[in-house]
Amino acid sequence: MTDTNRPTGLMTTAIHAGDAPDPATNASAPPIHMSSTYVTENLAGFSAHDLTPDSPYVYSRWANPTVTGLEAKIAALQGTEACLATASGMAAASAIFFTFLSAGDHLIISDVSYAGVAELARETLPRMGIEVSAVNMSNPEGVAEALRPNTRLIHTETPVNPICRLTDLAAVSKLARQSGALLSCDATFASPLGLDTVELGVDLTLHSTTKYIGGHGDAVGGAITGSSALVSKLRTEAGIHHGGVLSPFNAWLIARGATTLPLRMQAHQAGALALAQWLEADPRVTKVIYPGLPSHPQAELARRQMANTSGMIAFQVGNAVTGERIAQQMIERLKVIHYAVSLGHHRSLIFWMGTEGLMESSFHLRGSQLEDYRAYAGDGIFRMSVGLENADDLIADLDRALG
Ligand code: PLP
């Protein structure tokens, strides 16, 4: 079922892809296969290279039926041939870097990325002999200038965590094609339904399934979708050799969450739009960045590229001092929204990030890159993941906390 290429309506795909009545019992709901090993009837090789798409199950680091079901569901939702589920979103990012980059290769990465990915790229990859250029991916010309003969991978994130800045994927994928590099995109903020990454020319799409795909804040996981050939390489290197595979229990929870993804994404988008409009009209709020608002600096690109603008909003209240004070008020006053990291859950979550702290801890931007960041996001921002609660209750909660 991994090459379904969106054959049916999205809700039907979300519910049925990778899922079928259990052949042993006819159970309608999928069982959890917690077995680490499988009784084999044939003599089998013991190398990762012996695994083929129709190999029987041998050992759960190679493949597990519950995880296979989730992989088929995510591949179908993203419209790709295949998917590898990983132990976390970070395991998915390291799977891409360590499978497709070697010493002497060059990586171009968004200068603003999820902090863990930024740190991995800036601190660990150079230690392995990999050259890294961090560029502002909202400017394709900057990407073109950063290309080198040894550029093997361009890795972007759109909308980017935490400032909701966008990458024009069609433009960057054209550059990747021309230079013979692969393009990977972290689409965690958008979910598989926000971006048609296949149509836009992305080779590998990364999701932290901890977020929208799982959707309920109860399981950590990751996924990479792409062609069968690329995913098979990832499965051999990252899954079987590096070992960062997903547990069947988490796969089951994430697959159960994914069955309602299309409905949830519609509701996240509607809730976020209502909140973003309310925030934009409130005089206490300095700036709101939401791809679904006409005021987003890349609103035209958002309309062209995003089928769903998702539930992620970045907003600024005054300067760093005001922001920190309001963050403290939120911790004390919020009754519905949780002051917590993470995103994409049914519960609304909010977190304040000071520019200085982000720069020191992960991005290390200086000069014109720091100026670009400040011009876009100001001096400290709140990142809000709008959940599925009633918008009026979320607005009342924020109103109390901002007061
Ligand atoms: N990518 C993005 C955009 C994220 O926001 C996160 C986590 O917040 C990750 C990757 C890492 O995912 P995980 O926490 O599942 O390892």
PDB file of all heavy atoms in Angstrom, residues 328-344:
ATOM      1  N   GLN A 328       5.700  35.246  31.782  1.00  0.00           N
ATOM      2  CA  GLN A 328       5.515  34.904  33.200  1.00  0.00           C
ATOM      3  C   GLN A 328       4.031  34.991  33.563  1.00  0.00           C
ATOM      4  O   GLN A 328       3.495  34.124  34.265  1.00  0.00           O
ATOM      5  CB  GLN A 328       6.366  35.859  34.066  1.00  0.00           C
ATOM      6  CG  GLN A 328       6.424  35.486  35.540  1.00  0.00           C
ATOM      7  CD  GLN A 328       6.920  34.059  35.787  1.00  0.00           C
ATOM      8  OE1 GLN A 328       7.869  33.615  35.173  1.00  0.00           O
ATOM      9  NE2 GLN A 328       6.221  33.332  36.672  1.00  0.00           N
ATOM     10  N   GLN A 329       3.352  36.024  33.041  1.00  0.00           N
ATOM     11  CA  GLN A 329       1.904  36.146  33.300  1.00  0.00           C
ATOM     12  C   GLN A 329       1.156  34.952  32.729  1.00  0.00           C
ATOM     13  O   GLN A 329       0.192  34.472  33.317  1.00  0.00           O
ATOM     14  CB  GLN A 329       1.363  37.431  32.662  1.00  0.00           C
ATOM     15  CG  GLN A 329       1.600  38.640  33.511  1.00  0.00           C
ATOM     16  CD  GLN A 329       1.065  39.923  32.882  1.00  0.00           C
ATOM     17  OE1 GLN A 329       1.539  40.977  33.243  1.00  0.00           O
ATOM     18  NE2 GLN A 329       0.127  39.877  31.960  1.00  0.00           N
ATOM     19  N   MET A 330       1.594  34.494  31.567  1.00  0.00           N
ATOM     20  CA  MET A 330       0.929  33.333  30.946  1.00  0.00           C
ATOM     21  C   MET A 330       1.057  32.113  31.842  1.00  0.00           C
ATOM     22  O   MET A 330       0.098  31.380  32.053  1.00  0.00           O
ATOM     23  CB  MET A 330       1.536  33.044  29.572  1.00  0.00           C
ATOM     24  CG  MET A 330       1.107  34.040  28.520  1.00  0.00           C
ATOM     25  SD  MET A 330       1.750  33.571  26.913  1.00  0.00           S
ATOM     26  CE  MET A 330       0.978  34.850  25.915  1.00  0.00           C
ATOM     27  N   ILE A 331       2.281  31.914  32.362  1.00  0.00           N
ATOM     28  CA  ILE A 331       2.512  30.752  33.235  1.00  0.00           C
ATOM     29  C   ILE A 331       1.539  30.806  34.422  1.00  0.00           C
ATOM     30  O   ILE A 331       0.966  29.808  34.823  1.00  0.00           O
ATOM     31  CB  ILE A 331       3.993  30.725  33.702  1.00  0.00           C
ATOM     32  CG1 ILE A 331       4.898  30.425  32.513  1.00  0.00           C
ATOM     33  CG2 ILE A 331       4.211  29.730  34.843  1.00  0.00           C
ATOM     34  CD1 ILE A 331       6.387  30.609  32.764  1.00  0.00           C
ATOM     35  N   GLU A 332       1.307  32.025  34.930  1.00  0.00           N
ATOM     36  CA  GLU A 332       0.443  32.166  36.120  1.00  0.00           C
ATOM     37  C   GLU A 332      -1.041  32.173  35.779  1.00  0.00           C
ATOM     38  O   GLU A 332      -1.863  31.701  36.548  1.00  0.00           O
ATOM     39  CB  GLU A 332       0.798  33.480  36.850  1.00  0.00           C
ATOM     40  CG  GLU A 332       2.139  33.408  37.567  1.00  0.00           C
ATOM     41  CD  GLU A 332       2.769  34.793  37.777  1.00  0.00           C
ATOM     42  OE1 GLU A 332       2.036  35.802  37.658  1.00  0.00           O
ATOM     43  OE2 GLU A 332       3.985  34.842  38.043  1.00  0.00           O
ATOM     44  N   ARG A 333      -1.412  32.728  34.624  1.00  0.00           N
ATOM     45  CA  ARG A 333      -2.843  33.005  34.389  1.00  0.00           C
ATOM     46  C   ARG A 333      -3.553  32.064  33.419  1.00  0.00           C
ATOM     47  O   ARG A 333      -4.782  31.989  33.432  1.00  0.00           O
ATOM     48  CB  ARG A 333      -3.012  34.432  33.848  1.00  0.00           C
ATOM     49  CG  ARG A 333      -2.560  35.482  34.829  1.00  0.00           C
ATOM     50  CD  ARG A 333      -2.856  36.870  34.275  1.00  0.00           C
ATOM     51  NE  ARG A 333      -2.205  37.880  35.099  1.00  0.00           N
ATOM     52  CZ  ARG A 333      -2.146  39.174  34.794  1.00  0.00           C
ATOM     53  NH1 ARG A 333      -2.689  39.598  33.672  1.00  0.00           N
ATOM     54  NH2 ARG A 333      -1.541  40.023  35.585  1.00  0.00           N
ATOM     55  N   LEU A 334      -2.814  31.425  32.498  1.00  0.00           N
ATOM     56  CA  LEU A 334      -3.509  30.633  31.477  1.00  0.00           C
ATOM     57  C   LEU A 334      -4.257  29.468  32.123  1.00  0.00           C
ATOM     58  O   LEU A 334      -3.725  28.772  32.985  1.00  0.00           O
ATOM     59  CB  LEU A 334      -2.512  30.086  30.437  1.00  0.00           C
ATOM     60  CG  LEU A 334      -1.912  31.098  29.463  1.00  0.00           C
ATOM     61  CD1 LEU A 334      -0.833  30.433  28.598  1.00  0.00           C
ATOM     62  CD2 LEU A 334      -2.989  31.712  28.567  1.00  0.00           C
ATOM     63  N   LYS A 335      -5.504  29.265  31.683  1.00  0.00           N
ATOM     64  CA  LYS A 335      -6.303  28.172  32.254  1.00  0.00           C
ATOM     65  C   LYS A 335      -6.555  27.066  31.229  1.00  0.00           C
ATOM     66  O   LYS A 335      -6.783  25.915  31.581  1.00  0.00           O
ATOM     67  CB  LYS A 335      -7.648  28.719  32.737  1.00  0.00           C
ATOM     68  CG  LYS A 335      -7.529  29.629  33.952  1.00  0.00           C
ATOM     69  CD  LYS A 335      -8.911  29.862  34.549  1.00  0.00           C
ATOM     70  CE  LYS A 335      -8.901  30.503  35.920  1.00  0.00           C
ATOM     71  NZ  LYS A 335      -7.846  31.448  36.212  1.00  0.00           N
ATOM     72  N   VAL A 336      -6.576  27.428  29.957  1.00  0.00           N
ATOM     73  CA  VAL A 336      -6.865  26.443  28.902  1.00  0.00           C
ATOM     74  C   VAL A 336      -5.575  26.085  28.155  1.00  0.00           C
ATOM     75  O   VAL A 336      -5.221  24.913  28.007  1.00  0.00           O
ATOM     76  CB  VAL A 336      -7.919  26.997  27.906  1.00  0.00           C
ATOM     77  CG1 VAL A 336      -8.186  25.986  26.793  1.00  0.00           C
ATOM     78  CG2 VAL A 336      -9.204  27.374  28.627  1.00  0.00           C
ATOM     79  N   ILE A 337      -4.878  27.108  27.698  1.00  0.00           N
ATOM     80  CA  ILE A 337      -3.657  26.895  26.904  1.00  0.00           C
ATOM     81  C   ILE A 337      -2.535  26.444  27.841  1.00  0.00           C
ATOM     82  O   ILE A 337      -2.367  27.017  28.916  1.00  0.00           O
ATOM     83  CB  ILE A 337      -3.256  28.215  26.199  1.00  0.00           C
ATOM     84  CG1 ILE A 337      -4.424  28.739  25.338  1.00  0.00           C
ATOM     85  CG2 ILE A 337      -1.995  28.033  25.356  1.00  0.00           C
ATOM     86  CD1 ILE A 337      -4.300  30.201  24.929  1.00  0.00           C
ATOM     87  N   HIS A 338      -1.794  25.429  27.438  1.00  0.00           N
ATOM     88  CA  HIS A 338      -0.653  24.987  28.247  1.00  0.00           C
ATOM     89  C   HIS A 338       0.590  25.783  27.848  1.00  0.00           C
ATOM     90  O   HIS A 338       0.894  25.894  26.650  1.00  0.00           O
ATOM     91  CB  HIS A 338      -0.376  23.492  28.037  1.00  0.00           C
ATOM     92  CG  HIS A 338      -1.383  22.614  28.695  1.00  0.00           C
ATOM     93  ND1 HIS A 338      -1.263  21.243  28.783  1.00  0.00           N
ATOM     94  CD2 HIS A 338      -2.551  22.911  29.331  1.00  0.00           C
ATOM     95  CE1 HIS A 338      -2.294  20.748  29.427  1.00  0.00           C
ATOM     96  NE2 HIS A 338      -3.096  21.735  29.766  1.00  0.00           N
ATOM     97  N   TYR A 339       1.291  26.313  28.853  1.00  0.00           N
ATOM     98  CA  TYR A 339       2.574  26.962  28.570  1.00  0.00           C
ATOM     99  C   TYR A 339       3.600  25.838  28.488  1.00  0.00           C
ATOM    100  O   TYR A 339       4.062  25.323  29.522  1.00  0.00           O
ATOM    101  CB  TYR A 339       2.923  27.990  29.665  1.00  0.00           C
ATOM    102  CG  TYR A 339       4.119  28.817  29.278  1.00  0.00           C
ATOM    103  CD1 TYR A 339       3.974  29.978  28.521  1.00  0.00           C
ATOM    104  CD2 TYR A 339       5.404  28.405  29.604  1.00  0.00           C
ATOM    105  CE1 TYR A 339       5.079  30.724  28.116  1.00  0.00           C
ATOM    106  CE2 TYR A 339       6.515  29.142  29.200  1.00  0.00           C
ATOM    107  CZ  TYR A 339       6.341  30.299  28.453  1.00  0.00           C
ATOM    108  OH  TYR A 339       7.431  31.020  28.046  1.00  0.00           O
ATOM    109  N   ALA A 340       3.918  25.414  27.279  1.00  0.00           N
ATOM    110  CA  ALA A 340       4.771  24.226  27.103  1.00  0.00           C
ATOM    111  C   ALA A 340       5.356  24.222  25.707  1.00  0.00           C
ATOM    112  O   ALA A 340       4.772  24.795  24.777  1.00  0.00           O
ATOM    113  CB  ALA A 340       3.932  22.952  27.288  1.00  0.00           C
ATOM    114  N   VAL A 341       6.505  23.542  25.553  1.00  0.00           N
ATOM    115  CA  VAL A 341       7.063  23.371  24.198  1.00  0.00           C
ATOM    116  C   VAL A 341       6.254  22.310  23.464  1.00  0.00           C
ATOM    117  O   VAL A 341       5.322  21.738  24.005  1.00  0.00           O
ATOM    118  CB  VAL A 341       8.567  22.981  24.235  1.00  0.00           C
ATOM    119  CG1 VAL A 341       9.411  24.103  24.813  1.00  0.00           C
ATOM    120  CG2 VAL A 341       8.780  21.686  24.983  1.00  0.00           C
ATOM    121  N   SER A 342       6.643  22.060  22.230  1.00  0.00           N
ATOM    122  CA  SER A 342       5.982  21.134  21.301  1.00  0.00           C
ATOM    123  C   SER A 342       4.805  21.816  20.611  1.00  0.00           C
ATOM    124  O   SER A 342       4.515  22.999  20.875  1.00  0.00           O
ATOM    125  CB  SER A 342       5.543  19.827  21.953  1.00  0.00           C
ATOM    126  OG  SER A 342       5.474  18.827  20.937  1.00  0.00           O
ATOM    127  N   LEU A 343       4.174  21.093  19.720  1.00  0.00           N
ATOM    128  CA  LEU A 343       3.158  21.690  18.848  1.00  0.00           C
ATOM    129  C   LEU A 343       2.362  20.598  18.139  1.00  0.00           C
ATOM    130  O   LEU A 343       2.735  19.427  18.187  1.00  0.00           O
ATOM    131  CB  LEU A 343       3.847  22.578  17.805  1.00  0.00           C
ATOM    132  CG  LEU A 343       4.886  21.891  16.901  1.00  0.00           C
ATOM    133  CD1 LEU A 343       4.400  21.768  15.482  1.00  0.00           C
ATOM    134  CD2 LEU A 343       6.202  22.665  16.924  1.00  0.00           C
ATOM    135  N   GLY A 344       1.269  21.049  17.503  1.00  0.00           N
ATOM    136  CA  GLY A 344       0.497  20.137  16.659  1.00  0.00           C
ATOM    137  C   GLY A 344      -0.450  19.222  17.421  1.00  0.00           C
ATOM    138  O   GLY A 344      -1.010  18.289  16.860  1.00  0.00           O
TER     139      GLY A 344
END
